[in-house]
Every structure is written in C-alpha cells, then in structure tokens.
C-alpha cells in the first residue's frame, strides 16, 4: 500500500503518536518526533488560542535545530489534530495558523474535513481522518483525505466498536491508500500485527500517557500502569460520543461505572464535562485497553527504543519460527 514520502523517508518505525486532549504537550510531541515517530497534539490543547502559534514555532524550531545537529537521524514530522464540529469555535483560526506555518500533517476528527483538506493541500500538507465505520471512511475519501485512521474497539478516548480485523478488511475492499490503525496497540509486536492485517502504520496514544513528557498527573500515569483491560469502561456519557475511560477515575468522580446513563447525542461537548460535574479528560481519564501491556513510566525516547526492539524481535521470530504450513499438505 502506498505511504506518503513524508512518512516513508522520515520514520524510524511505522507509528504515529495520537493526539490526546490535555495530555499531548509540545515537549511530548518534540521527543516523539526526535525519536523517529510522528508526534501530534490537538490544536485545542494550546490555550488561549494565540498560544497555538507559539507552540507551532517552538515545535518547528526545536525539530529543525535537532535535525541540523543530527543530520543522519530520522526526525519525524509532527501533526496537529482539528476537531471538525460546530462546538469548536476555533476551527477557522486554528486551520489558518496551521496553513500559515505549513504544518506537515493535520489529523481531523468527527465530521467530514473538507475545509481542512483544502487548506492543507494548498501548501502540500497531508490530512488523515479518524473514522470508526465504513460510512465515515467513504465520506472522508470524498473530501480528498490522504489517509484514514481506523479507530477500532479498544482504542483510548473516542473509539469505535468494530474489531480491527473487521474494519481493516472492510475498508481494504474499496481503498488501497494509507491506513493507520488504532486500537489497543502498546508494543512493537502489535505494530507488526497491524501491518500484517493490512494497515500501513500504527496509531498509539495510551502508551505515551505513561511517559515522562506527557501532561498528565502522576496519579493518571500510575493508574495506566496499575490497570488492566477489564478496567476500561466504554460510555458516551461524558462527551456524547462513545469512548473508553479508566474505571478508577469514574469511581473517583462518584459515579458507578457499571450503571452509567446514556448521553444526549444532540448535546455533544468536547471541551467540558459533558453531563457530569467532573470534567472529562481532566477528572475522567481516557485510556485504551492496551493498559494491559503497560507496566512502567518512561521517557518518550525510551518507549520508542523499546518499541523498535520489540518490533524487530517479533519480525525475526515470525521469519525464523513460523511453521511452513504449505509443506503439510
């Protein structure tokens, strides 16, 4: 499957660090890119709105300086996430700044990203769009996106309910372009598995919450380490869109994670607390089922180094240890 040259020639691993509300800071993005994977952040993390330009200048400046100092290193491009929804009154402002600063990749979420595609393509930027089903995938392709992010069951934050096996296969029926797969990916063997089932790159968020650079509380990071897959709760209560959250944070907010009501989808809210007193992302912590494979808090660079070692080991194991089933016939 074709991968844009921007990624093919500048990545150490086929991985994009997903944008996480509040958690993704400039320093995390910079360290991910320096380590050789795409780092990203939601534009709405930069507050107030003028701070976004400061962030873009900082990230670009530090990455350019690092590349000059290390000309032989693969320094990955960075990405900015845009929420394409009527509740985001900053969209036009933020897209305009990304256009001004020629942000290499824009990641779009929720509604069809026509306006973002037009702006990014005007300077040669790429647009990847989050989708959870075939219908949304087809609509995003009509808008002219450069790749699809398939957000499957088990992914952190706003996640779909389809198995990655099912959604990748369904999308590959009509699309041979770049697919980025999201859904409980936390180690190098899972990155290789994503490629084996037909994706081009893996999309990883939860693993980087438990990083030194993440803008998350120590309690949040430790909860990631201490939790298992069974501690993830899937609910639409907090924003109006279904997502995965840590059970312990829901309990701490005084709610029963086993008896959460359904939210009114017509009142989607992506910056506040939804229909609860506790604020989503700040108090109700997003997380994917990949917590089962996360056991420590490390610098982002060390996480990427481990991912590479795991990825190469998994590939070698398959090449050397897989039985020749064809010979058994």
């Amino acid at each position: 499957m074709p991968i844009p040259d921007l990624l093919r020639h500048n990545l150490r691993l086929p991985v994009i660090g997903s944008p996480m509300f509040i958690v993704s800071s400039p320093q995390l993005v910079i360290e991910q890119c320096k380590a050789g994977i795409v780092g990203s952040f939601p534009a709405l993390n930069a507050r107030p709105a003028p701070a976004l330009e400061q962030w873009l200048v900082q990230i670009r400046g530090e990455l350019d300086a690092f590349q000059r100092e290390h000309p032989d290193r693969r320094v990955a491009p960075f990405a900015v996430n845009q929420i394409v929804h009527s509740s985001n009154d900053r969209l036009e402002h933020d897209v305009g700044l990304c256009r001004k600063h020629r942000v290499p990749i824009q990641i779009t979420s929720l509604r069809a990203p026509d306006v973002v595609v037009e702006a990014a393509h005007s300077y040669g930027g790429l647009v990847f769009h989050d989708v959870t089903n075939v219908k949304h995938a087809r609509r995003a392709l009509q808008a002219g996106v450069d790749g699809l992010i398939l957000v499957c069951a088990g992914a952190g934050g706003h996640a779909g309910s389809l198995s990655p096996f099912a959604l990748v296969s369904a999308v590959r029926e009509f699309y041979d372009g770049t697919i980025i797969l999201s859904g409980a990916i936390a180690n190098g063997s899972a990155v290789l598995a994503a490629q084996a089932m037909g994706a081009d790159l893996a999309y990883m968020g939860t693993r980087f919450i438990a990083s030194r650079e993440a803008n998350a509380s120590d309690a949040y990071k430790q909860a990631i380490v201490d939790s298992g897959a069974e501690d993830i709760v899937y609910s639409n209560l907090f924003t109006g869109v279904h997502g995965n959250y840590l059970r312990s944070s829901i309990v701490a907010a005084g709610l029963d994670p086993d008896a959460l009501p359904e939210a009114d989808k017509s009142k989607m809210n992506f910056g506040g607390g939804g229909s609860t007193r506790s604020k989503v992302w700040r108090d109700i912590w997003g997380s994917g089922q990949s917590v089962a494979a996360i056991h420590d808090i490390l610098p982002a660079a060390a996480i990427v180094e481990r991912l590479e070692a795991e990825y190469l080991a998994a590939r070698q194991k398959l090449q050397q240890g897989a039985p020749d089933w064809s010979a058994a016939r």
Side-chain angles (χ1 to χ4, degrees):
M1 283 69 74
I3 299 175
D5 288 344
L6 178 66
L7 299 181
R8 184 180 298 278
H9 301 306
N10 294 291
L11 294 188
R12 177 180 181 180
L13 281 173
V15 172
I16 294 176
S18 63
M20 296 175 285
F21 192 57
I22 299 178
V23 172
S24 296
S25 65
Q27 200 54 47
L28 176 58
V29 171
I30 289 165
E31 292 305 313
Q32 288 173 321
C33 293
K34 286 165 60 175
I37 69 168
V38 174
S40 67
F41 69 94
L44 293 175
N45 276 12
R47 301 188 182 214
L52 177 58
E53 187 156 30
Q54 299 169 14
W55 285 28
L56 296 177
V57 170
Q58 176 189 354
I59 292 169
R60 175 80 74 180
E62 291 197 32
L63 292 180
D64 286 350
F66 183 81
Q67 185 69 86
R68 288 193 298 271
E69 295 168 4
H70 304 85
D72 297 329
R73 292 278 293 272
R74 291 194 174 192
V75 179
F78 70 97
V80 175
N81 175 220
Q82 307 285 5
I83 302 298
V84 186
H85 189 265
S86 58
S87 66
N88 180 11
D89 58 8
R90 281 181 44 176
L91 182 61
E92 183 178 355
H93 168 272
D94 293 347
V95 171
L97 281 179
C98 288
R99 184 174 190 167
K100 174 183 176 181
H101 290 276
R102 303 174 71 87
V103 169
I105 304 167
Q106 294 192 61
I107 294 170
T108 51
S109 304
L110 295 178
R111 295 182 178 169
D114 303 76
V115 64
V116 182
V117 170
E118 180 181 0
H121 286 180
S122 71
Y123 61 84
L126 301 174
V127 177
F128 298 142
H129 187 65
D130 285 348
V131 301
T132 58
N133 56 51
V134 168
K135 177 183 176 181
H136 293 158
R138 290 186 184 276
R139 177 61 184 90
L141 293 176
Q142 290 175 1
V145 299
D146 302 285
L148 297 172
I149 302 169
L150 307 189
V151 187
C152 298
H158 294 134
S161 59
L162 291 176
S163 159
F165 289 96
L167 190 53
V168 172
S169 296
V171 172
R172 279 294 181 217
E173 290 279 331
F174 58 87
Y175 179 59
D176 62 0
T178 303
I179 285 180
I180 303 108
L181 182 61
S182 173
I185 299 173
N187 53 42
S189 58
V191 174
L192 183 63
Q195 291 183 301
M197 72 172 70
D200 300 292
L201 302 106
Y203 203 58
M204 299 179 63
T206 302
R207 170 63 269 200
F208 289 98
I209 298 174
S211 70
R212 299 294 182 192
E213 297 84 358
N215 184 34
S217 67
D218 290 342
Y220 188 178
K221 295 179 184 182
Q222 192 59 47
I224 294 289
V225 172
D226 294 340
S227 297
E230 67 278 4
D231 297 312
I232 304 304
V233 177
Y234 191 59
S235 172
N236 73 346
L237 173 63
F238 306 108
T239 66
V241 174
H242 274 92
N244 283 315
Y245 304 93
L246 281 172
R247 173 178 291 269
S248 59
S249 69
I250 296 173
V251 172
L255 300 170
D256 182 353
D258 296 316
L260 296 176
E262 289 287 309
D264 182 351
K265 294 182 180 180
S266 68
K267 298 180 180 179
M268 291 181 185
N269 181 355
F270 298 98
S275 53
T276 71
R277 291 183 179 180
S278 298
K279 287 188 175 294
V280 67
W281 316 128
R282 187 196 69 184
D283 305 307
I284 308 295
W285 296 333
S287 176
Q289 294 175 3
S290 61
V291 289
I294 300 172
H295 307 297
D296 47 20
I297 301 166
L298 298 170
I303 292 174
V304 175
E305 185 174 354
R306 179 187 290 176
L307 287 173
E308 182 182 45
E310 293 168 342
Y311 178 83
L312 294 175
R315 189 168 66 180
Q316 184 177 31
K317 182 178 180 180
L318 281 179
Q319 291 171 341
Q320 295 180 348
D324 184 1
W325 293 105
S326 63
R329 291 187 300 175

